[in-house]
Amino acid sequence: MKRFGFLSFGHYSLKPDKTGKYGAQEALNQAVELGQIADELGVNGAYFRVHHFAPQYSSPIPLLSAIAATTNTIEVGTGVIDMRYENPLGLAEEVAALDLLSDQRIAIGVSRGSPETALRGWEAFGYGGPELAREDPKGAALAAEKFDTFLAALRGDGMATAAPFEQQYPQMFRSGTQLPVLPHSPGADRRIWWGAATHASAELAARKGVNLMSSTLVFETNGSSLGDVQAEQIARYRREWEKAGHDWEPRVSVSRPIFPIVDGSDAQIFGPAGSGESHDSIGVLDDQRGIFGRTLVDTPDKIVEALKNDKAVMAADTLMLTIPNQAGVAVNARILENFAQHVAPELGWEPATRG
């Protein structure tokens, strides 16, 4: 583990009090503030979940832009954007612009997405329809097609044909020329991650030439721990990457809920040391049985020991700490500070630096 960051789900209340407490505006402002504090601590990344039709973050690019504009070294990203809801060319334009404005400090995770509160909510966004719903009820094929288009656009491939010269305004291109979406940020595609909950999805990410964001849950429930299953997923991803012959080194991330207990005030907030879950959780998501990671609430030495024994954490280069964003900035800053001072150095952490 060389890097660590925080992963926020962005929950807020639909009925904030008269001051706006716990509402959407406060959640967004607190995310920016926490990003700034994390940047000062040398934390490597600020990552955000994306969900639609729910009181959580839903339009990440403005939020990431606000954090990038007010920080110096921290990378900003998502975990993950649901491609079923996206216009792939529009997203490619926004991601390229953010990459340029942030001096290439992005880590944009995308995937098919997880279940939503809406029934095929992407149809309300203008994608799909009754016929597609019968053929592709979960939108997996729709997301895959959009992802391919998004990657091609981000890599600068032609996406439209230039009009006859005399019809163009401004007159810039030879008639029939294939036009890329603009702006173009060279290398931005190497800062794209695919969120994978299965071995097959991870192998596909390798073939497509993007980084791997191993999901907060995995579906290969064979009795092994989450860390062991993810470690196998990471190994398969790297083998497939080598077979594909890509000419650069990819990144891999995993996420864990971790609360270091350094003193009595931490214990009052998070519970006494050792009060976390002793085993991974088993649950059903999207009609599939999956493994969720356990929550670590313990002293730094015990957390270091647990993470060193977590094969996936040690195989990945980036660890995302899932945080309770509704707990407020001070509480979440304390989690990051405790982890940066007492845990991360024992795991090989390299604080963020410019360039």
Side-chain angles (χ1 to χ4, degrees):
M1 188 210 85
K2 296 180 180 179
R3 304 173 179 89
F4 88 90
F6 67 88
L7 173 62
S8 174
F9 284 61
H11 296 289
Y12 58 86
S13 174
L14 289 174
K15 295 181 178 180
D17 65 20
K18 293 180 180 179
T19 67
K21 192 171 181 62
Y22 304 122
Q25 183 174 14
E26 184 185 42
L28 290 164
N29 286 332
Q30 287 193 0
V32 175
E33 184 179 353
L34 185 60
Q36 294 165 347
I37 293 171
D39 188 60
E40 292 294 326
L41 291 171
V43 174
N44 305 88
Y47 314 102
F48 299 91
R49 287 280 197 178
V50 180
H51 286 282
H52 301 283
F53 299 109
Q56 295 176 248
Y57 302 130
S58 59
S59 183
I61 301 301
L63 174 58
L64 302 186
S65 298
I67 296 173
T70 55
T71 55
N72 294 307
T73 61
I74 198 168
E75 74 179 8
V76 294
T78 54
V80 290
I81 294 174
D82 188 332
M83 287 303 301
R84 297 173 296 185
Y85 285 80
E86 296 297 323
N87 177 315
L89 300 191
L91 182 62
E93 290 179 340
E94 291 181 345
V95 167
L98 176 61
D99 196 51
L100 294 169
L101 287 168
S102 67
D103 291 329
Q104 294 74 52
R105 288 187 289 132
I106 67 168
I108 304 299
V110 302
S111 79
R112 189 215 73 181
S114 62
E116 299 278 341
T117 57
L119 177 63
R120 297 191 303 277
W122 53 92
E123 292 180 6
F125 274 53
Y127 306 113
E131 183 177 344
L132 181 63
R134 287 191 295 271
E135 300 173 357
D136 185 25
K138 295 181 181 179
L142 176 67
E145 180 181 356
K146 288 187 174 192
F147 179 57
D148 288 343
T149 302
F150 166 67
L151 270 187
L154 204 59
R155 287 167 173 163
D157 292 357
M159 292 288 128
T161 302
F165 189 77
E166 63 277 7
Q167 296 177 15
Q168 294 181 28
Y169 182 82
Q171 294 178 322
M172 297 179 62
F173 302 102
R174 180 181 302 173
S175 176
T177 299
Q178 290 300 294
L179 306 178
V181 297
L182 298 171
H184 175 62
S185 183
D189 62 301
R190 297 189 177 189
R191 290 176 281 281
I192 302 302
W193 305 60
W194 180 259
T198 66
H199 296 339
S201 185
E203 290 169 340
L204 181 63
R207 291 192 292 273
K208 290 184 180 294
V210 295
N211 303 289
L212 175 65
M213 189 173 287
S214 191
S215 178
T216 51
L217 78 156
V218 294
F219 291 126
E220 274 85 8
T221 54
N222 60 3
S224 300
S225 69
L226 174 68
D228 286 351
V229 174
Q230 286 184 315
E232 174 63 20
Q233 184 188 97
I234 293 168
R236 293 187 183 209
Y237 167 81
R238 288 186 169 140
R239 286 196 296 269
E240 199 67 28
W241 184 275
E242 186 175 355
K243 284 169 55 179
H246 303 300
D247 62 354
W248 56 283
E249 187 69 23
R251 289 175 56 191
V252 174
S253 73
V254 296
S255 60
R256 298 286 186 271
I258 300 170
F259 304 98
I261 305 300
V262 175
D263 56 29
S265 62
D266 297 325
Q268 286 184 329
I269 297 171
F270 306 114
S275 63
E277 297 161 343
S278 58
H279 300 286
D280 295 330
S281 299
I282 301 294
V284 177
L285 186 66
D286 206 14
D287 301 323
Q288 290 182 271
R289 194 167 182 264
I291 312 173
F292 299 79
R294 64 192 178 106
T295 299
L296 282 172
V297 182
D298 221 322
T299 57
D301 59 321
K302 294 293 186 182
I303 290 174
V304 168
E305 180 183 1
L307 294 181
K308 283 186 175 180
N309 288 323
D310 188 320
K311 294 179 181 179
V313 169
M314 301 313 295
D317 65 81
T318 301
L319 174 62
M320 299 180 181
L321 306 184
T322 56
I323 61 167
N325 74 286
Q326 282 186 307
V329 172
V331 169
N332 286 298
R334 177 69 176 175
I335 294 170
L336 298 178
E337 183 178 13
N338 284 350
F339 195 87
Q341 291 183 358
H342 302 286
V343 178
E346 302 299 319
L347 300 173
W349 175 47
E350 299 175 2
T353 58
R354 195 68 167 170

